[in-house]
Coordinates of all heavy atoms in Angstrom, one line a residue:
R103 N -20.9 13.4 -11.4 CA -20.4 13.2 -10.0 C -21.6 13.2 -9.0 O -21.6 12.3 -8.1 CB -19.5 14.4 -9.6 CG -18.9 14.3 -8.2 CD -18.2 15.5 -7.8 NE -19.0 16.7 -8.0 CZ -18.6 18.0 -7.7 NH1 -17.4 18.2 -7.3 NH2 -19.4 19.0 -7.9
D104 N -22.6 14.1 -9.1 CA -23.7 14.2 -8.2 C -24.5 12.9 -8.2 O -24.9 12.3 -7.2 CB -24.6 15.4 -8.5 CG -23.9 16.7 -8.2 OD1 -22.9 16.7 -7.5 OD2 -24.4 17.8 -8.6
R105 N -24.7 12.4 -9.4 CA -25.5 11.1 -9.6 C -24.7 10.0 -9.0 O -25.3 9.1 -8.3 CB -25.7 10.9 -11.1 CG -26.3 9.5 -11.4 CD -27.7 9.4 -10.9 NE -28.4 8.1 -11.4 CZ -29.4 7.6 -10.9 NH1 -29.9 8.1 -9.8 NH2 -29.9 6.5 -11.4
V106 N -23.4 9.9 -9.2 CA -22.6 8.8 -8.7 C -22.6 8.9 -7.1 O -22.7 7.8 -6.5 CB -21.2 8.9 -9.3 CG1 -20.2 7.9 -8.5 CG2 -21.2 8.5 -10.7
M107 N -22.4 10.0 -6.6 CA -22.3 10.1 -5.1 C -23.7 9.8 -4.5 O -23.7 9.2 -3.4 CB -21.9 11.6 -4.7 CG -20.4 11.9 -5.0 SD -19.7 13.3 -4.2 CE -20.8 14.6 -4.8
A108 N -24.8 10.1 -5.2 CA -26.1 9.7 -4.6 C -26.3 8.2 -4.7 O -26.8 7.7 -3.7 CB -27.2 10.4 -5.5
L109 N -25.8 7.5 -5.7 CA -25.9 6.1 -5.8 C -25.0 5.4 -4.8 O -25.4 4.4 -4.1 CB -25.7 5.6 -7.2 CG -26.7 6.0 -8.3 CD1 -26.2 5.6 -9.6 CD2 -28.0 5.3 -8.0
V110 N -23.7 5.8 -4.7 CA -22.7 5.1 -4.0 C -22.7 5.5 -2.5 O -22.3 4.7 -1.7 CB -21.3 5.4 -4.7 CG1 -20.2 4.7 -3.9 CG2 -21.4 4.9 -6.1
G111 N -23.1 6.8 -2.2 CA -23.0 7.2 -0.8 C -21.6 7.5 -0.4 O -21.2 7.3 0.8
H112 N -20.8 8.0 -1.3 CA -19.4 8.3 -1.0 C -19.0 9.6 -1.7 O -19.5 9.9 -2.8 CB -18.5 7.2 -1.5 CG -17.0 7.3 -1.0 ND1 -16.6 6.9 0.2 CD2 -16.0 7.9 -1.7 CE1 -15.3 7.2 0.3 NE2 -14.9 7.8 -0.9
R113 N -18.2 10.4 -1.0 CA -17.8 11.7 -1.6 C -16.6 11.5 -2.5 O -15.6 10.8 -2.2 CB -17.4 12.7 -0.5 CG -16.9 14.0 -1.0 CD -16.5 14.9 0.2 NE -16.0 16.2 -0.3 CZ -14.7 16.4 -0.6 NH1 -13.9 15.4 -0.5 NH2 -14.3 17.6 -1.0
F114 N -16.6 12.2 -3.7 CA -15.5 12.2 -4.6 C -15.1 13.6 -4.9 O -15.9 14.4 -5.1 CB -15.8 11.5 -5.9 CG -16.3 10.0 -5.7 CD1 -17.6 9.7 -5.7 CD2 -15.3 9.0 -5.5 CE1 -18.0 8.3 -5.5 CE2 -15.7 7.7 -5.3 CZ -17.0 7.4 -5.3
N115 N -13.8 13.9 -4.9 CA -13.3 15.2 -5.1 C -12.5 15.3 -6.4 O -11.8 16.4 -6.7 CB -12.5 15.7 -3.9 CG -11.2 14.9 -3.6 OD1 -10.8 14.0 -4.4 ND2 -10.6 15.1 -2.5
S116 N -12.4 14.3 -7.2 CA -11.6 14.3 -8.5 C -12.1 13.2 -9.4 O -12.8 12.3 -9.0 CB -10.2 14.1 -8.1 OG -10.0 13.0 -7.3
V117 N -11.7 13.3 -10.7 CA -12.1 12.3 -11.7 C -11.0 12.3 -12.8 O -10.5 13.3 -13.2 CB -13.5 12.7 -12.3 CG1 -13.4 14.0 -13.0 CG2 -13.9 11.5 -13.3
L118 N -10.6 11.1 -13.1 CA -9.8 10.9 -14.3 C -10.6 10.4 -15.4 O -11.3 9.4 -15.4 CB -8.7 9.8 -14.0 CG -7.8 9.4 -15.1 CD1 -7.0 10.6 -15.6 CD2 -6.9 8.3 -14.8
A119 N -10.6 11.2 -16.5 CA -11.4 10.9 -17.7 C -10.5 10.3 -18.7 O -9.4 10.8 -19.0 CB -12.1 12.2 -18.2
N120 N -11.0 9.2 -19.3 CA -10.2 8.5 -20.4 C -11.1 8.4 -21.6 O -12.3 8.1 -21.5 CB -9.8 7.1 -20.0 CG -8.8 7.1 -18.9 OD1 -7.6 7.3 -19.1 ND2 -9.3 6.8 -17.7
L121 N -10.5 8.7 -22.8 CA -11.2 8.6 -24.0 C -10.6 7.5 -24.9 O -9.4 7.7 -25.3 CB -11.3 10.0 -24.8 CG -11.8 9.9 -26.2 CD1 -13.3 9.4 -26.3 CD2 -11.7 11.3 -26.9
Y122 N -11.3 6.4 -25.1 CA -10.8 5.4 -25.9 C -11.4 5.6 -27.3 O -12.6 5.4 -27.5 CB -11.2 4.0 -25.4 CG -10.7 3.7 -24.0 CD1 -11.4 4.2 -22.9 CD2 -9.5 3.0 -23.8 CE1 -10.9 3.9 -21.6 CE2 -9.0 2.7 -22.6 CZ -9.7 3.2 -21.4 OH -9.2 2.9 -20.2
R123 N -10.6 6.0 -28.3 CA -11.1 6.4 -29.6 C -11.6 5.3 -30.4 O -12.5 5.4 -31.2 CB -10.0 7.2 -30.3 CG -9.6 8.5 -29.6 CD -8.3 9.0 -30.0 NE -7.2 8.1 -29.6 CZ -5.9 8.4 -29.7 NH1 -5.5 9.5 -30.4 NH2 -5.0 7.5 -29.2
D124 N -11.0 4.1 -30.3 CA -11.4 2.9 -31.0 C -10.7 1.7 -30.3 O -10.1 1.9 -29.2 CB -11.1 3.0 -32.5 CG -9.6 3.3 -32.8 OD1 -8.8 2.8 -32.0 OD2 -9.4 4.0 -33.8
G125 N -10.8 0.6 -30.9 CA -10.3 -0.7 -30.3 C -8.8 -0.6 -30.2 O -8.2 -1.5 -29.4
R126 N -8.1 0.3 -30.9 CA -6.6 0.3 -30.7 C -6.2 1.0 -29.5 O -5.0 1.0 -29.1 CB -6.0 1.1 -31.9 CG -6.1 0.3 -33.3 CD -5.7 1.1 -34.5 NE -6.7 2.3 -34.7 CZ -6.6 3.1 -35.7 NH1 -5.7 3.0 -36.6 NH2 -7.5 4.1 -35.8
D127 N -7.1 1.7 -28.8 CA -6.8 2.3 -27.5 C -7.2 1.3 -26.4 O -8.1 0.6 -26.5 CB -7.7 3.6 -27.3 CG -7.1 4.8 -28.1 OD1 -5.9 4.6 -28.6 OD2 -7.7 5.8 -28.1
G128 N -6.4 1.4 -25.3 CA -6.6 0.4 -24.2 C -5.9 0.9 -22.9 O -5.3 2.0 -22.9
M129 N -6.0 0.1 -21.9 CA -5.3 0.4 -20.6 C -4.7 -0.9 -20.2 O -5.4 -1.9 -20.0 CB -6.4 0.9 -19.6 CG -5.8 1.1 -18.2 SD -5.0 2.6 -17.9 CE -6.4 3.7 -17.7
G130 N -3.4 -0.9 -19.9 CA -2.7 -2.1 -19.4 C -3.0 -2.5 -18.0 O -3.7 -1.8 -17.3
W131 N -2.5 -3.6 -17.5 CA -2.8 -4.1 -16.2 C -2.2 -3.1 -15.2 O -1.0 -2.6 -15.3 CB -2.1 -5.4 -16.0 CG -2.7 -6.6 -16.7 CD1 -2.2 -7.2 -17.8 CD2 -4.0 -7.2 -16.4 NE1 -3.1 -8.2 -18.2 CE2 -4.2 -8.2 -17.3 CE3 -4.9 -7.0 -15.4 CZ2 -5.3 -9.0 -17.3 CZ3 -6.1 -7.8 -15.4 CH2 -6.3 -8.8 -16.3
H132 N -3.0 -2.7 -14.1 CA -2.6 -1.8 -13.1 C -3.6 -1.9 -12.0 O -4.6 -2.5 -12.0 CB -2.6 -0.4 -13.7 CG -3.9 0.2 -13.9 ND1 -4.7 -0.2 -15.0 CD2 -4.7 1.1 -13.2 CE1 -5.9 0.4 -14.9 NE2 -5.9 1.2 -13.9
A133 N -3.3 -1.2 -10.9 CA -4.2 -1.1 -9.7 C -4.2 0.4 -9.4 O -3.2 1.1 -9.5 CB -3.7 -1.9 -8.5
D134 N -5.4 0.9 -8.9 CA -5.4 2.3 -8.4 C -5.0 2.3 -6.9 O -5.9 2.4 -6.0 CB -6.9 2.8 -8.6 CG -7.2 2.8 -10.1 OD1 -6.4 3.2 -10.9 OD2 -8.4 2.5 -10.4
D135 N -3.8 2.2 -6.7 CA -3.3 2.0 -5.3 C -2.3 3.1 -4.9 O -1.4 2.9 -4.1 CB -2.7 0.6 -5.1 CG -1.5 0.3 -6.1 OD1 -1.3 1.2 -7.0 OD2 -1.0 -0.8 -6.0
E136 N -2.4 4.2 -5.6 CA -1.5 5.3 -5.2 C -1.7 5.8 -3.8 O -2.8 5.7 -3.2 CB -1.6 6.5 -6.1 CG -1.2 6.3 -7.6 CD -2.2 5.5 -8.4 OE1 -3.4 5.3 -7.9 OE2 -1.9 5.2 -9.5
P137 N -0.6 6.2 -3.0 CA -0.7 6.5 -1.6 C -1.8 7.5 -1.3 O -2.4 7.5 -0.3 CB 0.7 7.0 -1.2 CG 1.6 6.4 -2.2 CD 0.8 6.3 -3.5
E138 N -2.0 8.5 -2.2 CA -2.9 9.6 -1.9 C -4.4 9.1 -1.9 O -5.3 9.9 -1.5 CB -2.7 10.7 -2.9 CG -2.8 10.4 -4.3 CD -1.4 10.2 -4.9 OE1 -0.5 9.6 -4.2 OE2 -1.2 10.6 -6.0
L139 N -4.6 7.9 -2.3 CA -6.0 7.4 -2.3 C -6.3 6.6 -1.0 O -7.5 6.2 -0.8 CB -6.2 6.4 -3.5 CG -6.0 7.1 -4.9 CD1 -6.2 6.0 -6.0 CD2 -7.0 8.2 -5.1
G140 N -5.4 6.4 -0.2 CA -5.6 5.6 1.1 C -5.5 4.1 0.9 O -5.3 3.6 -0.2
L141 N -5.7 3.4 2.0 CA -5.5 1.9 2.0 C -6.7 1.2 1.3 O -6.4 0.1 0.7 CB -5.4 1.4 3.4 CG -4.1 1.9 4.2 CD1 -4.2 1.4 5.6 CD2 -2.9 1.3 3.4

Side-chain angles (χ1 to χ4, degrees):
R103 178 190 56 180
D104 291 346
R105 173 67 170 158
V106 168
M107 290 196 300
L109 290 172
V110 179
H112 187 85
R113 178 183 177 272
F114 299 101
N115 60 13
S116 52
V117 61
L118 176 62
N120 293 284
L121 173 58
Y122 300 86
R123 294 160 291 184
D124 53 35
R126 293 171 293 184
D127 283 351
M129 173 85 77
W131 289 108
H132 71 286
D134 297 321
D135 56 358
E136 291 82 4
E138 53 264 41
L139 299 178
L141 292 177

